[in-house]
Amino acid sequence: MTTYIFEFIGTAMLILIGNGIVANIVLKGTKGADAGWTGIALAWGIAVFIGVFVSADISGAHLNPAVTIGLATAGKFGWEHVPGYTVAQVLGAMMGNLLVWLTYKKQYDATEDQGALLATFSTAPAIRSPFWNLVTEIIGTFALVFGVFYIAGGTVSDEPIKLGALDALPVALLVMGIGFGLGGPTGYAINPARDLGPRIMHAILPLKGKGSSDWGYAWVPIVGPLIGGVLAAMVYMWIGV
């Protein structure tokens, strides 16, 4: 149970900081409205660093079902643990967004823009086109999971890559780069738990005038990252390095 608890904690920290920056930018009455996309990409990188650093030694810090399933596909993680990790990640994401809501309660009360409210929970496309939105999420998650394989298990001159206390930093930089380079079309969920858990919280929390949770789009940030994670694992195994 300890590994599941730390997956829960790590994912909760990820969402607390990551969606916290979104809330700081888009909600009415905050002091962070000028941070913009640069602030979002930087803060999500920091959020990943914190989540991974907290949980890496205990659970391996997947924090993402696409990473978990990708590692299992490549034989680097037991399939029997995948359901428990996935549940812990979704519940952790729900807890993280609950804390965001509590932090910004007065700002949520003051915000009438339904799109802004939803943006602090889940992702939405800049241009809605489900097929191309799916392609974007597949590519972004492929980049994430493929990078994780080499960050976690790559070698240089037959020596394992080890960064000591900075194990979390390369993953954080990778996510930051994905945010800057690939995040514009869909808001780069690249993580089914990151989108699904908070979207559930949007549906159940007592937000004034919150509108739809946009469940018609919700399959894209779930299916796309899972496909991307499996494809990354297949390419990694095909390369065989």
Side-chain angles (χ1 to χ4, degrees):
M1 285 299 298
T2 302
T3 56
Y4 298 144
I5 289 170
F6 272 83
E7 275 296 294
F8 173 90
I9 293 171
T11 309
M13 293 296 294
L14 168 72
I15 299 302
L16 172 61
I17 304 302
N19 273 347
I21 182 62
V22 179
N24 199 17
I25 290 173
V26 306
L27 295 181
K28 185 176 181 180
T30 75
K31 296 186 176 183
D34 295 331
W37 188 258
T38 298
I40 289 175
L42 289 173
W44 272 104
I46 294 169
V48 169
F49 178 84
I50 294 169
V52 171
F53 198 88
V54 165
S55 58
D57 288 344
I58 307 299
S59 72
H62 299 182
L63 315 185
N64 182 343
V67 172
T68 299
I69 291 174
L71 291 172
T73 300
K76 290 182 171 288
F77 186 72
W79 280 103
E80 68 273 16
H81 300 302
V82 170
Y85 264 57
T86 301
V87 170
Q89 291 154 1
V90 172
L91 292 177
M94 293 173 69
M95 174 57 72
N97 236 119
L98 174 62
L99 295 175
V100 173
W101 175 68
L102 292 173
T103 301
Y104 287 94
K105 178 61 169 64
K106 299 305 292 183
Q107 284 74 25
Y108 276 107
D109 290 345
T111 301
E112 298 178 353
D113 184 338
Q114 294 179 351
L117 292 173
L118 182 59
T120 67
F121 290 87
S122 56
T123 62
I127 299 175
R128 187 172 293 255
S129 176
F131 174 78
W132 291 109
N133 301 151
L134 184 71
V135 169
T136 297
E137 288 292 333
I138 291 171
I139 293 171
T141 311
F142 178 94
L144 171 64
V145 177
F146 191 72
V148 163
F149 277 119
Y150 288 94
I151 291 167
T155 61
V156 176
S157 300
D158 296 325
E159 292 294 327
I161 296 172
K162 293 290 183 183
L163 298 176
L166 295 180
D167 283 344
L169 183 58
V171 182
L173 293 174
L174 175 58
V175 171
M176 193 181 302
I178 291 170
F180 279 121
L182 305 173
T186 61
Y188 70 117
I190 60 173
N191 181 342
R194 172 265 176 274
D195 194 273
L196 177 60
R199 198 181 296 269
I200 292 171
M201 293 308 296
H202 179 271
I204 65 179
L205 283 174
L207 300 166
K208 295 194 302 183
K210 63 183 174 182
S212 169
S213 298
D214 196 11
W215 288 106
Y217 178 76
W219 68 274
V220 172
I222 294 173
V223 175
L226 293 178
I227 294 174
V230 170
L231 288 176
M234 294 172 66
V235 171
Y236 174 81
M237 291 187 293
W238 176 70
I239 292 173
V241 177

